[in-house]
Amino acid sequence: MKFTLKGFAGNLLFAANVFILFMLLFGKEIIVPYWLQPIGRLHPMVLHFPIVILMLAMLLEFFRFKENYATERFYQNFVSWLLLVGALFSAVTVIMGLFLSKEEGYTGSVLQWHKWTGVSIVFIASLIYWCRDFSWYKLGVSRVGAIVIVSCLLATGHFGATLTHGENFVLGPVTSAEETVKVPVEQALVFKDVVMPIFTQKCLNCHNLEKAKGSLIMTDSAGLFKGGKSGKLFVPGKPEISLLLERIHLPEDEKKHMPPKGKPQLTAEEVAILKLWVKGNAKLKGKVTELAQGDSLRVLATAFLAPEQSAEEKFDFAMADEQAVSKLNNNYRVVYPIAKESPALAVNIYNKDLYKPEMLKELTSVKQQIISLNLNGLPVKDADLKIIGQFTNLRKLNLNFTALNGEGLKELKPLKHLSGLSLSGTSVNYAAVKQIATMPELKQLALWNTQITPAEIEQLQKLNGNLEVIKGFKDDGKSPAKLNLPRIGNEKSVFSKSINLDIKHAINGVQIRYTTDGSEPDSIKSLLYKKGVVITQNTTIKAKAYKKGWFGSDAVSFTFYRSTFKPDSIVFLTSANEKYRASGPEALTDSQMGTYDINAGSWIGFREHNMEALMFFNQPVNISAVSLNVMQQLPVYVLPPEEVEIWGGPDKNKLVLLGKTRSRPPLPADEKALLNVETKFSPQKISCLKIVAKNLKKLPKWHPGKGEPAWIFIDEVFLN
């Protein structure tokens, strides 16, 4: 028997049809071995070949019996070969698809339609190829077959796109805007109208009834709380250990980052909403308006909803430039419209360690549009009020627990629309507040936990009959309640020689007990905080608040770091990851400590290689210890450096190894932490210092990212 390539391909096509039939009949009993799974995952890449080839083959087959082509031998042979190749590629693609469908996450009616239309293409195309030379195969049959094949190709492509990109993928951009209806704030439910739409827009393409990747279905609350094969999606009340937030905060290049790279990503506001919802115990019931007026979740949710119909206010100023507003938004400042189509803006600034007056000066580009400004807990000083006095349309200003003494309050007099002012927990006195108490529009003034006495508050109310002064809680000793946490009054936690410890509490008469050895403070034996406590070395303070008739507060922990020397210049010898560069090398000695948020803009991240930095001193310094403040978050691959080397000398060309420190290998039970990795050595007089922090090149076998390199995140270096 003479071997021909076409005959071999025809036999291969027959074998492929038999194998597909076998897979269809016994698919439920078949388990695809792991070594075949990569073949199945090639399905999306290979499927384009048969689509193009069969489209062309069917076009030519449609006109096969025209008089000009019927006797053209080349035309007939070319179509025959084209049909054979298209059918064979279709069979290979279908086999790959059947392998892929055996993996978790592929279920539902859309998958079944995609599978059966794809299988139909193979069977019908093969049948046409085998029968096209029979006498009964005439013009009508050829054209019906061509139309059926093309129809199946279109249907299969449609169902495949739905599986991959979600329902309404093609028309989504032109129909979604029309279909989305904003729910008014006063009617909106937190979960249904704020949280669920985020999941719908950003998650359902991959986690629906038809395509449940990771066995996770996010179409309703039952699926959200059930979780997937990786476990529960979130722990109500604990966003810091919730899988949902861990996956969202992974670097975008990570395989497990959600949503996957290339898909629409969550905005900073959407991430904040999800975090706050989980932190609030992930409640399914409850209206937005039931949240406190200043609650962060309510503030953010309002921007996603239609404005309150009953409280709509007309403003006589123009809308701010969208690009200008976009540039002002970052990891420590949120600028957003109070409602859709409204020109009025609200501003919240966070993170006291990063606060600088320049953050207020940058807002002057939209000073006409700002009607609400929240600076709660920031080290805002009286001099900063001169900038705020330029926000002529400001209605509400929150200055609670700032560093004000009241001298600058007169700068707020030009604010003719100011109706609400909060000064609680500040050092303002009666004389300072009296200057602004008669402002015509001022209706509410919060002054609890200040130096102002009840008698002076009465005087303020007499000066302005429309003024409501919020005095705060009055302790009658009859209703025990749990004290809230003490708060640190120090603006910075890094010092060069010494620092005076400043711990405050919002309620007068509270005793603050503290420890420095890591133990829990008690109300009897622990040190009693009094002004004048001086810290001269690295110290972790644990503090609790106590008062007779009250339950003691929970413990709060503050860490202070000593850094005696500051280099005159710093350069990196290796490049930080482009997404995590903070403010550059200077961020290592700016005394601004980062939080657990890797996207807060204060961390410098390395992964592709070690961190290597040179520090130069114009005058030689005598150094005996170098400490690195680093982050540990195992779920997002962030670990302390495997080893730290410290080199020093008179210049960069004459460095010697001064000391090195190895970190212990990570363990599965390690919790997230901000760690201080210190390297000590005998005192050395140097003008140049080199720091090498080596990242772990391969995560351990027990880690989900086993074999991949770990991240190093550094935000501060302490030199002593």
Side-chain angles (χ1 to χ4, degrees):
M1 183 181 291
K2 187 177 179 181
F3 172 83
T4 64
L5 180 61
K6 193 172 185 180
F8 175 75
N11 292 334
L12 200 60
L13 177 61
F14 179 78
N17 275 263
V18 172
F19 185 74
I20 291 171
L21 190 60
F22 175 80
M23 288 285 291
L24 294 174
L25 292 174
F26 304 102
K28 292 183 179 180
E29 285 74 33
I30 295 173
I31 298 175
V32 178
Y34 72 92
W35 55 271
L36 273 179
Q37 288 182 1
I39 294 177
R41 296 184 181 190
L42 290 174
H43 172 77
M45 184 176 72
V46 176
L47 61 86
H48 300 91
F49 292 98
I51 291 175
V52 174
I53 294 170
L54 282 178
M55 281 285 190
L56 181 57
M58 291 303 101
L59 177 64
L60 296 176
E61 186 72 7
F62 192 86
F63 297 104
R64 174 191 173 192
F65 289 96
K66 284 193 69 173
E67 185 177 347
N68 294 343
Y69 306 130
T71 58
E72 179 62 51
R73 187 174 180 81
F74 175 79
Y75 185 96
Q76 300 297 326
N77 287 336
F78 181 73
V79 176
S80 178
W81 265 107
L82 207 60
L83 183 55
L84 174 58
V85 172
L88 190 56
F89 262 114
S90 297
V92 172
T93 304
V94 166
I95 291 170
M96 289 177 170
L98 292 172
F99 284 173
L100 183 61
S101 69
K102 300 298 291 182
E103 294 189 30
E104 289 187 15
Y106 293 96
T107 57
S109 60
V110 174
L111 175 68
Q112 295 303 314
W113 279 106
H114 180 63
K115 179 174 77 173
W116 287 107
T117 50
V119 168
S120 299
I121 292 171
V122 177
F123 288 165
I124 296 172
S126 299
L127 193 63
I128 291 174
Y129 173 73
W130 290 322
C131 299
R132 64 193 304 272
D133 292 329
F134 288 1
S135 58
W136 54 265
Y137 190 85
K138 301 294 184 183
L139 176 64
V141 177
S142 69
R143 291 191 169 181
V144 169
I147 293 171
V148 170
I149 288 289
V150 171
S151 300
C152 286
L153 283 169
L154 294 174
T156 307
H158 166 71
F159 293 124
T162 301
L163 277 174
T164 306
H165 302 290
E167 195 172 346
N168 200 33
F169 172 68
V170 176
L171 298 178
V174 295
T175 60
S176 58
E178 298 175 4
E179 294 170 358
T180 302
V181 179
K182 292 282 187 179
V183 179
V185 173
E186 64 272 17
Q187 300 174 16
L189 300 174
V190 175
F191 174 73
K192 178 185 175 184
D193 301 313
V194 180
V195 175
M196 195 61 204
I198 297 175
F199 291 141
T200 301
Q201 294 170 18
K202 303 294 174 70
C203 306
L204 290 197
N205 281 348
C206 296
H207 301 289
N208 53 63
L209 293 172
E210 309 294 345
K211 183 185 177 184
K213 278 202 168 183
S215 301
L216 174 63
I217 298 175
M218 301 177 70
T219 53
D220 54 30
S221 59
L224 288 170
F225 278 85
K226 181 181 178 182
K229 69 177 183 180
S230 297
K232 296 287 186 182
L233 193 58
F234 47 79
V235 180
K238 297 183 178 180
E240 67 277 4
I241 60 171
S242 293
L243 184 64
L244 171 67
L245 277 305
E246 288 177 1
R247 293 290 174 87
I248 288 172
H249 283 100
L250 278 172
E252 193 173 334
D253 291 333
E254 289 290 348
K255 184 169 64 174
K256 294 187 178 181
H257 169 80
M258 293 296 157
K261 187 176 182 180
K263 300 285 187 180
Q265 298 297 305
L266 276 73
T267 65
E269 291 81 4
E270 289 171 338
V271 172
I273 285 174
L274 295 181
K275 180 178 179 181
L276 291 167
W277 176 67
V278 173
K279 187 176 182 180
N281 292 317
K283 295 177 181 176
L284 298 178
K285 296 182 179 179
K287 288 187 171 184
V288 172
T289 52
E290 291 173 359
L291 299 171
Q293 189 70 36
D295 184 90
S296 298
L297 180 54
R298 176 169 178 170
V299 170
L300 290 169
T302 301
F304 283 75
L305 302 165
E308 294 185 57
Q309 297 172 357
S310 58
E312 188 174 354
E313 183 179 357
K314 302 294 183 182
F315 300 100
D316 58 0
F317 48 84
M319 190 171 288
D321 180 68
E322 287 188 18
Q323 289 188 345
V325 174
S326 179
K327 288 181 180 178
L328 291 170
N329 277 286
N330 51 40
N331 292 317
Y332 54 78
R333 180 175 58 205
V334 178
V335 182
Y336 55 93
I338 63 166
K340 186 177 176 65
E341 306 298 334
S342 173
L345 301 175
V347 179
N348 281 6
I349 300 180
Y350 312 94
N351 199 328
K352 68 174 186 176
D353 289 334
L354 294 177
Y355 172 78
K356 295 177 182 178
E358 286 73 18
M359 297 180 187
L360 292 175
K361 289 180 182 178
E362 291 167 355
L363 293 171
T364 54
S365 61
V366 293
K367 62 184 179 182
Q368 297 294 326
Q369 288 80 20
I370 297 175
I371 70 163
S372 175
L373 180 60
N374 185 354
L375 303 172
N376 180 58
L378 299 177
V380 177
K381 297 182 179 179
D382 287 75
D384 301 339
L385 299 185
K386 191 169 184 178
I387 304 170
I388 298 174
Q390 301 175 38
F391 303 163
T392 52
N393 287 306
L394 194 63
R395 266 71 167 168
K396 293 183 179 180
L397 176 59
N398 187 340
L399 295 167
N400 288 342
F401 298 101
T402 54
L404 298 180
N405 58 33
E407 292 179 3
L409 287 178
K410 60 181 181 292
E411 302 291 349
L412 301 181
K413 285 186 177 181
L415 304 179
K416 297 180 181 180
H417 301 284
L418 190 65
S419 59
L421 176 62
S422 299
L423 297 168
S424 302
T426 63
S427 300
V428 299
N429 54 34
Y430 173 73
V433 176
K434 183 181 177 182
Q435 301 177 84
I436 57 167
T438 55
M439 291 174 66
E441 291 298 318
L442 193 61
K443 300 293 189 298
Q444 192 177 77
L445 182 61
L447 292 172
W448 54 275
N449 195 34
T450 63
Q451 301 175 20
I452 301 174
T453 66
E456 290 171 336
I457 287 176
E458 289 185 14
Q459 290 298 317
L460 291 173
Q461 289 179 319
K462 288 179 181 179
L463 291 173
N464 185 346
N466 296 322
L467 182 64
E468 175 193 1
V469 179
I470 301 174
K471 310 168 190 178
F473 177 79
K474 185 177 180 181
D475 180 14
D476 59 7
K478 297 179 181 179
S479 304
K482 188 174 185 176
L483 290 166
N484 54 334
L485 297 173
R487 58 186 295 271
I488 193 72
N490 299 86
E491 293 183 15
K492 293 186 177 181
S493 55
V494 181
F495 60 94
S496 59
K497 294 182 179 179
S498 64
I499 189 170
N500 292 317
L501 180 62
D502 184 15
I503 309 179
K504 299 179 178 180
H505 199 276
I507 298 175
N508 293 325
V510 166
Q511 281 191 351
I512 297 175
R513 298 275 182 170
Y514 71 96
T515 62
T516 58
D517 59 2
S519 61
E520 290 291 308
D522 62 33
S523 60
I524 302 174
K525 297 179 181 178
S526 298
L527 295 171
L528 176 63
Y529 169 73
K530 293 181 181 178
K531 287 190 175 181
V533 177
V534 179
I535 296 175
T536 59
Q537 58 187 0
N538 290 0
T539 305
T540 297
I541 302 288
K542 272 194 173 182
K544 280 187 177 182
Y546 296 97
K547 186 176 182 180
K548 187 177 180 180
W550 293 69
F551 296 115
S553 74
D554 293 328
V556 65
S557 180
F558 319 109
T559 301
F560 294 91
Y561 301 94
R562 178 173 177 172
S563 188
T564 308
F565 306 108
K566 187 171 183 178
D568 295 290
S569 61
I570 308 172
V571 294
F572 281 132
L573 299 179
T574 54
S575 298
N577 184 278
E578 61 180 12
K579 294 183 180 178
Y580 306 106
R581 294 187 174 179
S583 56
E586 290 72 21
L588 295 178
T589 57
D590 64 359
S591 301
Q592 305 294 343
M593 305 298 291
T595 64
Y596 286 111
D597 184 358
I598 64 175
N599 297 306
S602 57
W603 291 96
I604 302 178
F606 295 84
R607 192 187 193 194
E608 293 78 13
H609 39 64
N610 301 328
M611 187 282 282
E612 296 186 20
L614 283 177
M615 296 184 173
F616 299 95
F617 304 85
N618 293 339
Q619 297 296 325
V621 294
N622 205 31
I623 287 182
S624 60
V626 177
S627 302
L628 277 60
N629 193 62
V630 300
M631 184 192 295
Q632 175 177 281
Q633 283 203 64
L634 294 186
V636 293
Y637 305 4
V638 178
L639 276 73
E642 185 179 26
E643 184 178 67
V644 175
E645 293 179 353
I646 306 299
W647 299 70
D651 59 59
K652 65 178 182 179
N653 297 317
K654 298 179 181 178
L655 300 177
V656 296
L657 182 64
L658 304 180
K660 60 182 178 180
T661 303
R662 286 192 67 86
S663 301
R664 69 163 177 79
L667 300 173
D670 286 346
E671 297 183 358
K672 71 176 183 179
L674 301 180
L675 304 174
N676 193 251
V677 180
E678 186 175 40
T679 303
K680 292 184 177 181
F681 42 86
S682 58
Q684 301 286 331
K685 204 164 190 177
I686 63 168
S687 295
C688 180
L689 187 75
K690 180 180 178 181
I691 302 173
V692 179
K694 300 179 180 180
N695 66 326
L696 188 64
K697 300 305 179 187
K698 289 187 178 182
L699 289 164
K701 293 182 179 179
W702 51 261
H703 194 279
K706 61 183 178 181
E708 297 184 37
W711 284 86
I712 299 176
F713 276 84
I714 302 175
D715 78 328
E716 201 72 20
V717 174
F718 310 117
L719 309 174
N720 294 293

